[in-house]
Amino acid sequence: MRVSVTAQDLRAIRCDLLAIPLFVGDPSERRLPPRLAALDRELGSPVAAVLASGDFRGRPADSVLVYPPAGSSVKRILLLGMGVEAAVDAEALRRCAGSAVRRAVQLRAPSVALVVPGGRRVQPPAAAQALAEGAVLGGFRFDAYREEKADEGPADVTAIQLVFDRLASPGRARTAAARGTVLAESQNLARRLSNEPANALPPAVLAQEAQKMAKQVGLDCLVMEVPELKKRGMGGILAVGQGSSNPPRLVVLEHNARRSARAAKSRRKKASARTGRPLPTICLVGKGITFDSGGISIKPSAGMQDMKHDMSGAAAVVGALRAAALLRIPLHVVGLIAAAENLPSGTAYRPGDVVRTLSGKTIEILNTDAEGRVVLADALTYAVDEYEPEAVVDLATLTGACMIALGPWATGVFGNNDRLVERIRRAGESAGERAWPMPLLDEHREAMKSKVADLRNAAGRAAGASTAAGFLAAFVGDVPWTHLDIAGTGWTDRARPYQPIGATGVGVRLLLELLRTWKEGPRV
Ligand code: BES
Ligand code: MN
Ligand code: ZN
């Protein structure tokens, strides 16, 4: 979808669908903003007629489709309720653009123009970014496996114009819209990967997808297969993966702004490499269980199909690295994906097994369904040992307990550094991906100690999300680290304006906001 930014007389716009957001109080003929009134008069006043009927009052759920006479410059007009003007924020704009695009998709209207609502709270660049995000996210569909779509189904929106009233600095708004587009496309990549069924996306294919993305945007990508995992001693990933005939992988994606800048420069004039102070390194670690049956501690069959999404953390890492590269984030960002399929079989790991991890610490397996923490143990150790990062952030659909605690409304945040936890919370708030701090107490760490091994991978139902975090904490030492439990937010069974049913791609926007502001904020 092409997103463009203009400040034009509405009468000069041609499109299949013109979306007009209106606030409560706007929708009376007399109070229609002047540029809309001018357009409406030219079209024979179809909007004024709707408003005069009183059927559209500008509340958030209100929407009316209006048809101007055939041959008009705009084929359809969609009035969208925005609620009270003073309450409009970036999230309201994302929803607004998402609703407009979703409607256009249903109507098979490929070109959309959206009148940017006045509102005082959101500055034009931030508005352009939020609208671009909402539009591109709202256009997401996962229908690769449906034959029907061809003739009767919806059609893609190919272009959307964001039409401002006035623009003091159009350049800044355009840059912001481009940024929003990259973020949303990267989030859509995460959604697509998470939605892929487990038969189409075993660990090897997840790794190939990461490699393909890396090649497209110019990232380094290293994929470790079983012999390499064995050589290095990654017993956690190997144990979880050993029950499946689809072998596990560890994927490393690397974005290094300084190195890419140097590569571009040497391509231009073969300049010799300039060495400066190395950039700060941030490691992003994703749980990549391509299917979680529970293993020998098998899950009940109801709802088990959702466990194809158990690699949503990994999908977010792939999306975030894509965006970091395209937005040229001035940092060294490393993405690590621990990919495995958790199945029961004659070769599966079992309750009672003791597994030796890369860190040297041993884990007593008490429940093979607590597999996410076991694969993350190796990936976290690798991150900390190999890169000495300033911060590590992991994302994982880790516990049903977190889903029960926070529902689909917030990602749980745990960590060993309060400043980093607070920065994650803030990044989530400004990116429109809510993340809520949760306790990680010494008692939660204690609960994960075993009598047989150094740690045990399960400890009963009490504080299940926090004890899982307490387990992970053992593998990061003193390095500032947060764990994002996205079990409740990684996918949804209820559609929202810019979110269809299925994978959400949660985490991508939050992570990029964290990276964008990394050098401004308080040191962790
Ligand atoms: N992938 C699941 C967690 C999950 C469950 C995410 C439901 C989203 C929806 C994870 O691997 C798991 O099975 N966790 C267990 C841990 C327990 C055995 C200690 C859980 O939450 O029940
Ligand atoms: Mn599990
Ligand atoms: Zn799992």
PDB file of all heavy atoms in Angstrom, residues 288-326:
ATOM      1  N   GLY A 288      10.550 -19.061  19.793  1.00  0.00           N
ATOM      2  CA  GLY A 288      10.107 -19.496  18.477  1.00  0.00           C
ATOM      3  C   GLY A 288       9.622 -20.930  18.467  1.00  0.00           C
ATOM      4  O   GLY A 288      10.106 -21.764  17.689  1.00  0.00           O
ATOM      5  N   ILE A 289       8.657 -21.260  19.322  1.00  0.00           N
ATOM      6  CA  ILE A 289       8.082 -22.614  19.300  1.00  0.00           C
ATOM      7  C   ILE A 289       7.040 -22.649  18.176  1.00  0.00           C
ATOM      8  O   ILE A 289       5.977 -22.044  18.284  1.00  0.00           O
ATOM      9  CB  ILE A 289       7.455 -22.979  20.666  1.00  0.00           C
ATOM     10  CG1 ILE A 289       8.523 -22.932  21.776  1.00  0.00           C
ATOM     11  CG2 ILE A 289       6.808 -24.368  20.597  1.00  0.00           C
ATOM     12  CD1 ILE A 289       9.677 -23.924  21.626  1.00  0.00           C
ATOM     13  N   THR A 290       7.388 -23.326  17.093  1.00  0.00           N
ATOM     14  CA  THR A 290       6.532 -23.274  15.900  1.00  0.00           C
ATOM     15  C   THR A 290       5.233 -24.051  16.114  1.00  0.00           C
ATOM     16  O   THR A 290       4.240 -23.783  15.440  1.00  0.00           O
ATOM     17  CB  THR A 290       7.270 -23.794  14.655  1.00  0.00           C
ATOM     18  OG1 THR A 290       7.697 -25.143  14.909  1.00  0.00           O
ATOM     19  CG2 THR A 290       8.485 -22.931  14.340  1.00  0.00           C
ATOM     20  N   PHE A 291       5.259 -25.002  17.023  1.00  0.00           N
ATOM     21  CA  PHE A 291       4.009 -25.594  17.519  1.00  0.00           C
ATOM     22  C   PHE A 291       4.260 -26.155  18.903  1.00  0.00           C
ATOM     23  O   PHE A 291       5.257 -26.844  19.132  1.00  0.00           O
ATOM     24  CB  PHE A 291       3.474 -26.696  16.596  1.00  0.00           C
ATOM     25  CG  PHE A 291       2.110 -27.173  17.027  1.00  0.00           C
ATOM     26  CD1 PHE A 291       0.995 -26.360  16.865  1.00  0.00           C
ATOM     27  CD2 PHE A 291       1.947 -28.422  17.630  1.00  0.00           C
ATOM     28  CE1 PHE A 291      -0.264 -26.780  17.300  1.00  0.00           C
ATOM     29  CE2 PHE A 291       0.681 -28.848  18.053  1.00  0.00           C
ATOM     30  CZ  PHE A 291      -0.418 -28.021  17.885  1.00  0.00           C
ATOM     31  N   ASP A 292       3.337 -25.848  19.816  1.00  0.00           N
ATOM     32  CA  ASP A 292       3.472 -26.313  21.197  1.00  0.00           C
ATOM     33  C   ASP A 292       2.316 -27.232  21.553  1.00  0.00           C
ATOM     34  O   ASP A 292       1.243 -26.788  21.939  1.00  0.00           O
ATOM     35  CB  ASP A 292       3.520 -25.107  22.154  1.00  0.00           C
ATOM     36  CG  ASP A 292       3.673 -25.544  23.603  1.00  0.00           C
ATOM     37  OD1 ASP A 292       3.995 -26.726  23.844  1.00  0.00           O
ATOM     38  OD2 ASP A 292       3.483 -24.686  24.497  1.00  0.00           O
ATOM     39  N   SER A 293       2.560 -28.534  21.405  1.00  0.00           N
ATOM     40  CA  SER A 293       1.540 -29.516  21.792  1.00  0.00           C
ATOM     41  C   SER A 293       1.596 -29.762  23.296  1.00  0.00           C
ATOM     42  O   SER A 293       0.721 -30.424  23.852  1.00  0.00           O
ATOM     43  CB  SER A 293       1.805 -30.843  21.075  1.00  0.00           C
ATOM     44  OG  SER A 293       3.004 -31.422  21.599  1.00  0.00           O
ATOM     45  N   GLY A 294       2.629 -29.264  23.935  1.00  0.00           N
ATOM     46  CA  GLY A 294       2.895 -29.593  25.336  1.00  0.00           C
ATOM     47  C   GLY A 294       3.934 -30.701  25.462  1.00  0.00           C
ATOM     48  O   GLY A 294       4.535 -30.874  26.508  1.00  0.00           O
ATOM     49  N   GLY A 295       4.108 -31.486  24.390  1.00  0.00           N
ATOM     50  CA  GLY A 295       5.055 -32.609  24.455  1.00  0.00           C
ATOM     51  C   GLY A 295       4.444 -33.757  25.253  1.00  0.00           C
ATOM     52  O   GLY A 295       3.225 -33.961  25.229  1.00  0.00           O
ATOM     53  N   ILE A 296       5.267 -34.511  25.966  1.00  0.00           N
ATOM     54  CA  ILE A 296       4.764 -35.645  26.761  1.00  0.00           C
ATOM     55  C   ILE A 296       3.731 -35.156  27.787  1.00  0.00           C
ATOM     56  O   ILE A 296       2.719 -35.812  28.033  1.00  0.00           O
ATOM     57  CB  ILE A 296       5.939 -36.364  27.474  1.00  0.00           C
ATOM     58  CG1 ILE A 296       6.919 -36.957  26.450  1.00  0.00           C
ATOM     59  CG2 ILE A 296       5.421 -37.445  28.423  1.00  0.00           C
ATOM     60  CD1 ILE A 296       6.374 -38.072  25.587  1.00  0.00           C
ATOM     61  N   SER A 297       3.946 -33.984  28.355  1.00  0.00           N
ATOM     62  CA  SER A 297       2.928 -33.362  29.237  1.00  0.00           C
ATOM     63  C   SER A 297       1.901 -32.683  28.332  1.00  0.00           C
ATOM     64  O   SER A 297       1.744 -31.461  28.348  1.00  0.00           O
ATOM     65  CB  SER A 297       3.573 -32.323  30.155  1.00  0.00           C
ATOM     66  OG  SER A 297       4.768 -32.808  30.732  1.00  0.00           O
ATOM     67  N   ILE A 298       1.202 -33.495  27.547  1.00  0.00           N
ATOM     68  CA  ILE A 298       0.414 -32.971  26.419  1.00  0.00           C
ATOM     69  C   ILE A 298      -0.751 -32.079  26.858  1.00  0.00           C
ATOM     70  O   ILE A 298      -1.336 -32.295  27.923  1.00  0.00           O
ATOM     71  CB  ILE A 298      -0.067 -34.149  25.534  1.00  0.00           C
ATOM     72  CG1 ILE A 298      -0.495 -33.671  24.145  1.00  0.00           C
ATOM     73  CG2 ILE A 298      -1.186 -34.929  26.237  1.00  0.00           C
ATOM     74  CD1 ILE A 298      -0.568 -34.801  23.124  1.00  0.00           C
ATOM     75  N   LYS A 299      -1.030 -31.090  26.036  1.00  0.00           N
ATOM     76  CA  LYS A 299      -2.123 -30.154  26.316  1.00  0.00           C
ATOM     77  C   LYS A 299      -3.467 -30.797  25.969  1.00  0.00           C
ATOM     78  O   LYS A 299      -3.520 -31.696  25.129  1.00  0.00           O
ATOM     79  CB  LYS A 299      -1.970 -28.903  25.430  1.00  0.00           C
ATOM     80  CG  LYS A 299      -0.847 -27.978  25.807  1.00  0.00           C
ATOM     81  CD  LYS A 299      -0.789 -26.788  24.827  1.00  0.00           C
ATOM     82  CE  LYS A 299       0.366 -25.865  25.154  1.00  0.00           C
ATOM     83  NZ  LYS A 299       0.234 -25.185  26.458  1.00  0.00           N
ATOM     84  N   PRO A 300      -4.551 -30.308  26.547  1.00  0.00           N
ATOM     85  CA  PRO A 300      -5.880 -30.728  26.095  1.00  0.00           C
ATOM     86  C   PRO A 300      -6.088 -30.328  24.636  1.00  0.00           C
ATOM     87  O   PRO A 300      -5.481 -29.345  24.182  1.00  0.00           O
ATOM     88  CB  PRO A 300      -6.843 -29.940  26.990  1.00  0.00           C
ATOM     89  CG  PRO A 300      -6.023 -29.266  28.034  1.00  0.00           C
ATOM     90  CD  PRO A 300      -4.599 -29.272  27.590  1.00  0.00           C
ATOM     91  N   SER A 301      -6.920 -31.053  23.902  1.00  0.00           N
ATOM     92  CA  SER A 301      -7.010 -30.765  22.459  1.00  0.00           C
ATOM     93  C   SER A 301      -7.784 -29.481  22.159  1.00  0.00           C
ATOM     94  O   SER A 301      -7.539 -28.847  21.141  1.00  0.00           O
ATOM     95  CB  SER A 301      -7.618 -31.949  21.716  1.00  0.00           C
ATOM     96  OG  SER A 301      -8.888 -32.239  22.260  1.00  0.00           O
ATOM     97  N   ALA A 302      -8.714 -29.082  23.031  1.00  0.00           N
ATOM     98  CA  ALA A 302      -9.488 -27.866  22.757  1.00  0.00           C
ATOM     99  C   ALA A 302      -8.572 -26.651  22.718  1.00  0.00           C
ATOM    100  O   ALA A 302      -7.856 -26.358  23.678  1.00  0.00           O
ATOM    101  CB  ALA A 302     -10.562 -27.677  23.827  1.00  0.00           C
ATOM    102  N   GLY A 303      -8.563 -25.981  21.585  1.00  0.00           N
ATOM    103  CA  GLY A 303      -7.760 -24.759  21.469  1.00  0.00           C
ATOM    104  C   GLY A 303      -6.310 -25.003  21.107  1.00  0.00           C
ATOM    105  O   GLY A 303      -5.539 -24.064  20.953  1.00  0.00           O
ATOM    106  N   MET A 304      -5.932 -26.284  20.965  1.00  0.00           N
ATOM    107  CA  MET A 304      -4.507 -26.547  20.725  1.00  0.00           C
ATOM    108  C   MET A 304      -4.019 -25.925  19.411  1.00  0.00           C
ATOM    109  O   MET A 304      -2.851 -25.574  19.277  1.00  0.00           O
ATOM    110  CB  MET A 304      -4.207 -28.050  20.742  1.00  0.00           C
ATOM    111  CG  MET A 304      -2.737 -28.347  21.009  1.00  0.00           C
ATOM    112  SD  MET A 304      -2.230 -29.985  20.563  1.00  0.00           S
ATOM    113  CE  MET A 304      -2.659 -30.927  22.008  1.00  0.00           C
ATOM    114  N   GLN A 305      -4.952 -25.756  18.461  1.00  0.00           N
ATOM    115  CA  GLN A 305      -4.560 -25.160  17.174  1.00  0.00           C
ATOM    116  C   GLN A 305      -3.936 -23.766  17.336  1.00  0.00           C
ATOM    117  O   GLN A 305      -3.104 -23.354  16.527  1.00  0.00           O
ATOM    118  CB  GLN A 305      -5.754 -25.109  16.207  1.00  0.00           C
ATOM    119  CG  GLN A 305      -6.868 -24.131  16.593  1.00  0.00           C
ATOM    120  CD  GLN A 305      -7.828 -24.698  17.648  1.00  0.00           C
ATOM    121  OE1 GLN A 305      -7.652 -25.834  18.115  1.00  0.00           O
ATOM    122  NE2 GLN A 305      -8.830 -23.920  18.030  1.00  0.00           N
ATOM    123  N   ASP A 306      -4.317 -23.061  18.405  1.00  0.00           N
ATOM    124  CA  ASP A 306      -3.741 -21.727  18.624  1.00  0.00           C
ATOM    125  C   ASP A 306      -2.237 -21.788  18.879  1.00  0.00           C
ATOM    126  O   ASP A 306      -1.550 -20.767  18.776  1.00  0.00           O
ATOM    127  CB  ASP A 306      -4.411 -21.051  19.827  1.00  0.00           C
ATOM    128  CG  ASP A 306      -5.805 -20.537  19.489  1.00  0.00           C
ATOM    129  OD1 ASP A 306      -6.118 -20.442  18.285  1.00  0.00           O
ATOM    130  OD2 ASP A 306      -6.564 -20.250  20.429  1.00  0.00           O
ATOM    131  N   MET A 307      -1.749 -22.962  19.239  1.00  0.00           N
ATOM    132  CA  MET A 307      -0.324 -23.071  19.581  1.00  0.00           C
ATOM    133  C   MET A 307       0.595 -23.006  18.360  1.00  0.00           C
ATOM    134  O   MET A 307       1.810 -23.069  18.487  1.00  0.00           O
ATOM    135  CB  MET A 307      -0.074 -24.333  20.409  1.00  0.00           C
ATOM    136  CG  MET A 307      -0.571 -24.166  21.841  1.00  0.00           C
ATOM    137  SD  MET A 307       0.271 -22.799  22.679  1.00  0.00           S
ATOM    138  CE  MET A 307      -1.115 -21.855  23.277  1.00  0.00           C
ATOM    139  N   LYS A 308       0.002 -22.832  17.155  1.00  0.00           N
ATOM    140  CA  LYS A 308       0.842 -22.472  16.008  1.00  0.00           C
ATOM    141  C   LYS A 308       1.408 -21.059  16.209  1.00  0.00           C
ATOM    142  O   LYS A 308       2.388 -20.673  15.579  1.00  0.00           O
ATOM    143  CB  LYS A 308       0.032 -22.522  14.706  1.00  0.00           C
ATOM    144  CG  LYS A 308      -1.006 -21.396  14.592  1.00  0.00           C
ATOM    145  CD  LYS A 308      -1.684 -21.347  13.237  1.00  0.00           C
ATOM    146  CE  LYS A 308      -2.642 -20.160  13.143  1.00  0.00           C
ATOM    147  NZ  LYS A 308      -3.256 -20.030  11.818  1.00  0.00           N
ATOM    148  N   HIS A 309       0.744 -20.281  17.079  1.00  0.00           N
ATOM    149  CA  HIS A 309       1.195 -18.902  17.329  1.00  0.00           C
ATOM    150  C   HIS A 309       2.304 -18.828  18.386  1.00  0.00           C
ATOM    151  O   HIS A 309       2.686 -17.735  18.798  1.00  0.00           O
ATOM    152  CB  HIS A 309       0.043 -18.046  17.850  1.00  0.00           C
ATOM    153  CG  HIS A 309      -1.063 -17.809  16.874  1.00  0.00           C
ATOM    154  ND1 HIS A 309      -0.885 -17.156  15.682  1.00  0.00           N
ATOM    155  CD2 HIS A 309      -2.387 -18.112  16.943  1.00  0.00           C
ATOM    156  CE1 HIS A 309      -2.061 -17.072  15.053  1.00  0.00           C
ATOM    157  NE2 HIS A 309      -2.975 -17.649  15.789  1.00  0.00           N
ATOM    158  N   ASP A 310       2.789 -19.988  18.854  1.00  0.00           N
ATOM    159  CA  ASP A 310       3.712 -19.966  19.990  1.00  0.00           C
ATOM    160  C   ASP A 310       5.114 -19.467  19.596  1.00  0.00           C
ATOM    161  O   ASP A 310       6.032 -19.477  20.410  1.00  0.00           O
ATOM    162  CB  ASP A 310       3.781 -21.360  20.636  1.00  0.00           C
ATOM    163  CG  ASP A 310       4.102 -21.300  22.128  1.00  0.00           C
ATOM    164  OD1 ASP A 310       3.897 -20.247  22.742  1.00  0.00           O
ATOM    165  OD2 ASP A 310       4.570 -22.334  22.664  1.00  0.00           O
ATOM    166  N   MET A 311       5.219 -19.001  18.348  1.00  0.00           N
ATOM    167  CA  MET A 311       6.477 -18.380  17.897  1.00  0.00           C
ATOM    168  C   MET A 311       6.257 -16.879  17.672  1.00  0.00           C
ATOM    169  O   MET A 311       7.012 -16.237  16.934  1.00  0.00           O
ATOM    170  CB  MET A 311       7.023 -19.053  16.630  1.00  0.00           C
ATOM    171  CG  MET A 311       6.021 -19.596  15.642  1.00  0.00           C
ATOM    172  SD  MET A 311       4.874 -18.348  15.054  1.00  0.00           S
ATOM    173  CE  MET A 311       5.998 -17.410  14.041  1.00  0.00           C
ATOM    174  N   SER A 312       5.237 -16.313  18.325  1.00  0.00           N
ATOM    175  CA  SER A 312       4.939 -14.891  18.112  1.00  0.00           C
ATOM    176  C   SER A 312       6.062 -13.979  18.611  1.00  0.00           C
ATOM    177  O   SER A 312       6.275 -12.895  18.061  1.00  0.00           O
ATOM    178  CB  SER A 312       3.627 -14.515  18.801  1.00  0.00           C
ATOM    179  OG  SER A 312       2.549 -15.232  18.227  1.00  0.00           O
ATOM    180  N   GLY A 313       6.761 -14.403  19.651  1.00  0.00           N
ATOM    181  CA  GLY A 313       7.909 -13.613  20.127  1.00  0.00           C
ATOM    182  C   GLY A 313       8.986 -13.554  19.048  1.00  0.00           C
ATOM    183  O   GLY A 313       9.538 -12.483  18.748  1.00  0.00           O
ATOM    184  N   ALA A 314       9.265 -14.703  18.442  1.00  0.00           N
ATOM    185  CA  ALA A 314      10.253 -14.761  17.357  1.00  0.00           C
ATOM    186  C   ALA A 314       9.805 -13.908  16.178  1.00  0.00           C
ATOM    187  O   ALA A 314      10.608 -13.193  15.561  1.00  0.00           O
ATOM    188  CB  ALA A 314      10.454 -16.212  16.923  1.00  0.00           C
ATOM    189  N   ALA A 315       8.509 -13.960  15.867  1.00  0.00           N
ATOM    190  CA  ALA A 315       7.978 -13.178  14.741  1.00  0.00           C
ATOM    191  C   ALA A 315       8.182 -11.686  15.006  1.00  0.00           C
ATOM    192  O   ALA A 315       8.545 -10.931  14.092  1.00  0.00           O
ATOM    193  CB  ALA A 315       6.499 -13.495  14.545  1.00  0.00           C
ATOM    194  N   ALA A 316       7.964 -11.264  16.244  1.00  0.00           N
ATOM    195  CA  ALA A 316       8.161  -9.852  16.587  1.00  0.00           C
ATOM    196  C   ALA A 316       9.626  -9.451  16.427  1.00  0.00           C
ATOM    197  O   ALA A 316       9.941  -8.337  15.984  1.00  0.00           O
ATOM    198  CB  ALA A 316       7.689  -9.582  18.021  1.00  0.00           C
ATOM    199  N   VAL A 317      10.529 -10.368  16.768  1.00  0.00           N
ATOM    200  CA  VAL A 317      11.957 -10.073  16.617  1.00  0.00           C
ATOM    201  C   VAL A 317      12.316  -9.923  15.133  1.00  0.00           C
ATOM    202  O   VAL A 317      13.032  -8.996  14.741  1.00  0.00           O
ATOM    203  CB  VAL A 317      12.821 -11.164  17.305  1.00  0.00           C
ATOM    204  CG1 VAL A 317      14.295 -11.015  16.936  1.00  0.00           C
ATOM    205  CG2 VAL A 317      12.636 -11.087  18.819  1.00  0.00           C
ATOM    206  N   VAL A 318      11.783 -10.792  14.295  1.00  0.00           N
ATOM    207  CA  VAL A 318      12.032 -10.672  12.846  1.00  0.00           C
ATOM    208  C   VAL A 318      11.518  -9.322  12.344  1.00  0.00           C
ATOM    209  O   VAL A 318      12.208  -8.588  11.627  1.00  0.00           O
ATOM    210  CB  VAL A 318      11.369 -11.831  12.060  1.00  0.00           C
ATOM    211  CG1 VAL A 318      11.493 -11.611  10.564  1.00  0.00           C
ATOM    212  CG2 VAL A 318      11.999 -13.169  12.455  1.00  0.00           C
ATOM    213  N   GLY A 319      10.297  -8.976  12.750  1.00  0.00           N
ATOM    214  CA  GLY A 319       9.709  -7.699  12.325  1.00  0.00           C
ATOM    215  C   GLY A 319      10.511  -6.512  12.827  1.00  0.00           C
ATOM    216  O   GLY A 319      10.748  -5.542  12.096  1.00  0.00           O
ATOM    217  N   ALA A 320      10.952  -6.588  14.073  1.00  0.00           N
ATOM    218  CA  ALA A 320      11.695  -5.464  14.663  1.00  0.00           C
ATOM    219  C   ALA A 320      13.042  -5.270  13.971  1.00  0.00           C
ATOM    220  O   ALA A 320      13.467  -4.141  13.717  1.00  0.00           O
ATOM    221  CB  ALA A 320      11.901  -5.702  16.162  1.00  0.00           C
ATOM    222  N   LEU A 321      13.718  -6.377  13.636  1.00  0.00           N
ATOM    223  CA  LEU A 321      15.011  -6.241  12.962  1.00  0.00           C
ATOM    224  C   LEU A 321      14.847  -5.666  11.562  1.00  0.00           C
ATOM    225  O   LEU A 321      15.663  -4.865  11.094  1.00  0.00           O
ATOM    226  CB  LEU A 321      15.730  -7.595  12.920  1.00  0.00           C
ATOM    227  CG  LEU A 321      16.725  -7.882  14.052  1.00  0.00           C
ATOM    228  CD1 LEU A 321      17.984  -7.035  13.896  1.00  0.00           C
ATOM    229  CD2 LEU A 321      16.129  -7.651  15.427  1.00  0.00           C
ATOM    230  N   ARG A 322      13.747  -6.046  10.913  1.00  0.00           N
ATOM    231  CA  ARG A 322      13.460  -5.469   9.588  1.00  0.00           C
ATOM    232  C   ARG A 322      13.326  -3.958   9.707  1.00  0.00           C
ATOM    233  O   ARG A 322      13.936  -3.188   8.962  1.00  0.00           O
ATOM    234  CB  ARG A 322      12.179  -6.081   9.024  1.00  0.00           C
ATOM    235  CG  ARG A 322      11.767  -5.492   7.677  1.00  0.00           C
ATOM    236  CD  ARG A 322      10.392  -6.005   7.244  1.00  0.00           C
ATOM    237  NE  ARG A 322      10.053  -5.556   5.894  1.00  0.00           N
ATOM    238  CZ  ARG A 322       9.471  -4.385   5.623  1.00  0.00           C
ATOM    239  NH1 ARG A 322       9.184  -3.540   6.602  1.00  0.00           N
ATOM    240  NH2 ARG A 322       9.204  -4.053   4.380  1.00  0.00           N
ATOM    241  N   ALA A 323      12.507  -3.529  10.663  1.00  0.00           N
ATOM    242  CA  ALA A 323      12.266  -2.089  10.826  1.00  0.00           C
ATOM    243  C   ALA A 323      13.543  -1.369  11.247  1.00  0.00           C
ATOM    244  O   ALA A 323      13.828  -0.267  10.762  1.00  0.00           O
ATOM    245  CB  ALA A 323      11.151  -1.867  11.839  1.00  0.00           C
ATOM    246  N   ALA A 324      14.334  -1.982  12.141  1.00  0.00           N
ATOM    247  CA  ALA A 324      15.574  -1.340  12.603  1.00  0.00           C
ATOM    248  C   ALA A 324      16.505  -1.086  11.419  1.00  0.00           C
ATOM    249  O   ALA A 324      17.166  -0.041  11.333  1.00  0.00           O
ATOM    250  CB  ALA A 324      16.257  -2.217  13.651  1.00  0.00           C
ATOM    251  N   ALA A 325      16.556  -2.049  10.491  1.00  0.00           N
ATOM    252  CA  ALA A 325      17.426  -1.887   9.327  1.00  0.00           C
ATOM    253  C   ALA A 325      16.890  -0.800   8.399  1.00  0.00           C
ATOM    254  O   ALA A 325      17.629   0.100   7.990  1.00  0.00           O
ATOM    255  CB  ALA A 325      17.536  -3.213   8.571  1.00  0.00           C
ATOM    256  N   LEU A 326      15.596  -0.858   8.087  1.00  0.00           N
ATOM    257  CA  LEU A 326      15.036   0.094   7.126  1.00  0.00           C
ATOM    258  C   LEU A 326      15.020   1.513   7.682  1.00  0.00           C
ATOM    259  O   LEU A 326      15.131   2.479   6.933  1.00  0.00           O
ATOM    260  CB  LEU A 326      13.623  -0.333   6.714  1.00  0.00           C
ATOM    261  CG  LEU A 326      13.560  -1.611   5.872  1.00  0.00           C
ATOM    262  CD1 LEU A 326      12.111  -2.019   5.621  1.00  0.00           C
ATOM    263  CD2 LEU A 326      14.300  -1.421   4.547  1.00  0.00           C
TER     264      LEU A 326
END
